């Protein structure tokens, strides 16, 4: 994901345009927020934070006034089509926006070291659950700790995605 964003940034920089990257995230903006901070995006659009196109355009205009000729925007798929957002930006501000939908390309690739360690942690916890006779559990991470939920627990819960990364992104993208 970050490698793709880096390549899109390089192209956006060389062509003085905005790159809008649509990533997975129907009900949660976690992927967009994490990737946005990791790749230095100027703006991230997620379901958990109210999106106003005029606010985005003001931020883009301020960047251009400051001499920046390109930007990267990450958008979770749950907030709408990246192509539609790009069309609105072009119609309202006249900027050249190119959209890339990463979609399920994000799911492919080799696991990182952190992915492999997480798989090992989950495997150990799954064996512990089974040896205690606990079945029908779903493993997740809360505060960097492996937790076991009953299958129907997460479905009943509201999404409480930590959007503090949005504040970090706002501070870094000034």
């Amino acid at each position: 994901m970050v490698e793709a964003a880096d390549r899109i940034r390089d192209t956006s920089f060389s062509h003085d345009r905005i790159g809008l990257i649509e990533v997975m995230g129907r009900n949660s903006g976690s992927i967009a927020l994490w990737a946005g901070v990791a790749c230095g995006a100027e703006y991230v659009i997620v379901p958990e934070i109210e999106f106003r196109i005029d606010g985005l355009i003001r931020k883009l205009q301020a960047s251009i006034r400051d001499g920046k000729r390109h930007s990267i925007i990450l958008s979770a798929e749950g907030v709408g089509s990246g192509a539609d957002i790009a069309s609105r930006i072009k119609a309202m501000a006249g900027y050249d926006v190119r959209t890339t939908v990463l979609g399920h390309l994000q799911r492919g690739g080799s696991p990182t070291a952190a992915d492999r360690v997480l798989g090992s942690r989950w495997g150990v916890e799954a064996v512990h659950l089974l040896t205690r006779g606990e079945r029908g559990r779903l493993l997740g991470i809360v505060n960097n700790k492996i937790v076991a939920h009953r299958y129907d627990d997460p479905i009943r819960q509201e999404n409480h995605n930590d959007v503090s990364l949005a504040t970090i992104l706002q501070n870094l993208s000034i």
Side-chain angles (χ1 to χ4, degrees):
M1 170 51 236
V2 174
E3 183 179 341
D6 287 345
R7 290 179 181 186
I8 292 166
R9 179 180 298 284
D10 290 345
T11 302
S12 296
F13 176 80
S14 65
H15 294 284
D16 294 336
R17 66 171 61 128
I18 297 165
L20 193 149
I21 304 169
E22 182 180 319
V23 299
M24 292 186 306
R26 188 175 351 158
N27 299 320
S28 171
S30 283
I31 293 172
L33 283 171
W34 279 76
V37 172
C39 74
E42 283 72 27
Y43 205 93
V44 175
I45 306 167
V46 295
E48 295 87 351
I49 300 172
E50 180 184 359
F51 169 62
R52 296 184 49 96
I53 190 80
D54 55 330
L56 169 57
I57 290 172
R58 278 195 303 277
K59 181 157 181 120
L60 293 170
Q61 290 168 335
S63 287
I64 290 170
R65 276 194 307 274
D66 291 342
K68 190 166 192 177
R69 313 283 308 162
H70 71 283
S71 291
I72 294 294
I73 301 166
L74 266 83
S75 175
E77 66 184 338
V79 297
S81 159
D84 290 344
I85 295 168
S87 293
R88 291 172 61 196
I89 294 169
K90 185 170 179 69
M92 294 175 74
Y95 298 138
D96 185 11
V97 183
R98 300 295 167 96
T99 304
T100 303
V101 179
L102 291 182
H104 291 93
L105 286 174
Q106 297 167 248
R107 292 183 187 222
S110 299
T112 65
D115 294 335
R116 293 169 193 234
V117 169
L118 178 58
S120 297
R121 290 175 65 195
W122 271 345
V124 167
E125 183 61 25
V127 170
H128 285 289
L129 289 170
L130 290 172
T131 59
R132 292 192 306 257
E134 296 184 48
R135 306 254 188 289
R137 299 292 190 255
L138 170 64
L139 295 177
I141 302 174
V142 176
N143 297 325
N144 202 29
K145 292 184 177 30
I146 304 292
V147 295
H149 300 279
R150 292 177 358 155
Y151 277 113
D152 55 349
D153 286 347
I155 295 169
R156 288 192 307 251
Q157 293 176 359
E158 230 179 89
N159 180 8
H160 295 289
N161 190 18
D162 179 7
V163 294
S164 65
L165 287 177
T167 303
I168 292 170
L169 188 68
Q170 288 170 343
N171 290 327
L172 291 175
S173 68
I174 293 175

